[in-house]
Amino acid sequence: MGDIRLGTCIRREAFPQEQQMKGGNTEKELDANLLTIVVLSRGRCELSNCITRYLIAMAAADLSVLIFEVLLYEIKDAYFPYSFLNYTPVCSLNLALLFASVDCSVWLTVAITFDRFVAICCQKLRRSYCNTKTASVTIGFVCTLSVLESIPIYFVYEPREIIDNLPWSCYVKASFYALPVWSAFLWLESVLTPFAPFLLILLFNILTIRCILQANRLRKRLRGNNDSENDGDTEKENRRKSIFLLLAVSGSFILLWSVTFISNICVQFTDATFLEANYNDFFTILEQTGYILRTLSCCTNTFIYAISQRKFREEFKSIIKPPFESNSALSFTI
């Protein structure tokens, strides 16, 4: 048995199909996250400074996941199999940073979900918590804790082989599954990602939706059945947009991580094992699907912003439009 993220690093070369699928979409995913950071940093999307900081941090964390997991770990085995990235110290460092970026991305999603829960459901706490200072402290705390938590990962691996007196590639030490201290660390990792975030996001969303429904019913009773007034209820419209963005971001996380969540449960409580190189096995298919969906979750937020935020779409167009306009004007001149 093993944690799903630790298990992914034992023997990836057995699954070249997955490497090719991830590699083919990496460039688009990186561009999407970079453009998201640029658009949000301009501060013209009619979002609060607090939410903007969380969203920028989430985009940066997702970008780091794509860099450390897809570019520096997955694709290198398919395109650069004998590069310095395969030296054991470099490989171990990359894996530690990979886990740190995954943890950071996941827990920032929890943080923004909790922030919106406080803003909507806890009016007394709203002024003191939902501000840029608290957001900055929370982001810094999450990132720092994610890095500290992932430091032991560096010492989990040993060289897979020695080539020309150089330690080559990474392999989980046999003592990792035998020593009690590593067993405790393994369970802690499983609880922190993805069990706790999955359940917390689900809980905060349920409480937030209940609070909004209650507020809407109360507001409707107080305003009466005057349709003309309801049509101009800007507060209700802003609340609707805010909750749509929240549910879309956290909902996509739940959906795309659900397969990983189920796989982890199967490994912890059944005889299923990770990285069985048999694509006819149901659990192997489930496991590999979870890896792909988990990586996909790092680029979905951009599309969510584009769907839900009109100003984001406008700013996005204003960034990508000038090069095309200049090229078309140049062609016309020629």
Side-chain angles (χ1 to χ4, degrees):
M1 293 185 185
D3 176 69
I4 193 164
R5 297 177 305 139
L6 291 171
T8 62
C9 301
I10 298 175
R11 227 176 117 257
R12 280 300 203 163
E13 63 272 19
F15 304 103
Q17 298 94 332
E18 182 185 352
Q19 294 173 348
Q20 293 173 1
M21 283 187 287
K22 286 185 177 181
N25 295 322
T26 302
E27 183 177 352
K28 296 179 181 178
E29 294 173 355
L30 290 172
D31 291 343
N33 281 285
L34 283 172
L35 284 174
T36 298
I37 294 173
V38 172
V39 170
L40 292 173
S41 298
R42 299 172 74 175
R44 303 173 185 175
C45 296
E46 296 182 350
L47 296 170
S48 67
N49 293 332
C50 176
I51 289 297
T52 300
R53 292 201 180 188
Y54 278 119
L55 295 179
I56 292 175
M58 289 173 61
D62 290 342
L63 181 64
S64 66
V65 173
L66 294 173
I67 292 174
F68 291 121
E69 180 169 12
V70 182
L71 287 180
L72 299 182
Y73 187 72
E74 300 287 355
I75 294 181
K76 71 175 177 60
D77 290 331
Y79 298 100
F80 307 102
Y82 301 106
S83 68
F84 74 96
L85 294 173
N86 280 308
Y87 294 157
T88 301
V90 178
C91 177
S92 299
L93 177 61
N94 180 62
L95 290 171
L97 294 174
L98 186 161
F99 295 151
S101 60
V102 170
D103 286 340
C104 190
S105 175
V106 169
W107 281 99
L108 284 175
T109 306
V110 177
I112 191 174
T113 305
F114 179 72
D115 180 89
R116 292 301 87 195
F117 164 73
V118 172
I120 295 172
C121 303
C122 307
Q123 297 301 318
K124 293 183 179 179
L125 187 59
R126 178 178 178 178
R127 288 183 177 274
S128 59
Y129 185 83
C130 300
N131 53 62
T132 55
K133 181 180 179 180
T134 302
S136 300
V137 172
T138 302
I139 292 169
F141 177 78
V142 168
C143 294
T144 302
L145 198 61
S146 297
V147 172
L148 292 177
E149 179 196 348
S150 300
I151 289 177
I153 299 294
Y154 181 84
F155 303 99
V156 168
Y157 302 98
E158 63 183 1
R160 186 189 302 277
E161 53 188 339
I162 303 296
I163 301 178
D164 295 332
N165 294 323
L166 293 175
W168 199 260
S169 191
C170 291
Y171 194 85
V172 176
K173 296 178 180 177
S175 61
F176 177 78
Y177 297 106
L179 295 178
V181 62
W182 285 121
S183 298
F185 177 76
L186 190 64
W187 275 97
L188 178 63
E189 280 286 298
S190 299
V191 170
L192 291 178
T193 307
F195 287 128
F198 195 94
L199 297 177
L200 286 174
I201 290 175
L202 194 60
L203 174 64
F204 291 142
N205 278 336
I206 291 174
L207 295 176
T208 303
I209 292 173
R210 187 186 68 172
C211 183
I212 288 177
L213 292 177
Q214 290 176 348
N216 286 341
R217 284 195 295 265
L218 178 60
R219 189 174 182 83
K220 187 175 181 180
R221 286 198 299 266
L222 292 175
R223 293 175 64 92
N225 296 321
N226 192 326
D227 294 336
S228 61
E229 289 185 2
N230 288 333
D231 291 340
D233 191 348
T234 56
E235 182 178 344
K236 183 177 179 179
E237 180 66 18
N238 291 335
R239 192 186 298 118
R240 185 189 65 82
K241 290 181 179 179
S242 177
I243 195 60
F244 179 83
L245 179 60
L246 167 66
L247 293 180
V249 171
S250 55
S252 68
F253 170 83
I254 291 176
L255 288 175
L256 294 175
W257 273 81
S258 59
V259 178
T260 299
F261 185 79
I262 295 171
S263 299
N264 213 349
I265 292 177
C266 291
V267 169
Q268 296 292 352
F269 299 103
T270 68
D271 294 331
T273 57
F274 288 119
L275 298 173
E276 292 292 335
N278 179 13
Y279 277 102
N280 295 321
D281 179 65
F282 172 78
F283 181 77
T284 301
I285 296 173
L286 183 73
E287 173 196 2
Q288 298 302 315
T289 302
Y291 295 151
I292 295 173
L293 292 178
R294 189 190 69 179
T295 306
L296 180 63
S297 68
C298 295
C299 63
T300 55
N301 287 341
T302 301
F303 300 100
I304 292 173
Y305 306 151
I307 293 173
S308 62
Q309 300 293 319
R310 178 181 57 83
K311 291 297 294 183
F312 182 88
R313 293 194 298 270
E314 293 176 357
E315 290 298 313
F316 194 90
K317 290 178 182 178
S318 69
I319 291 178
I320 64 176
K321 188 180 295 184
F324 294 104
E325 289 183 345
S326 59
N327 290 338
S328 61
L330 180 61
S331 300
F332 181 77
T333 304
I334 293 175

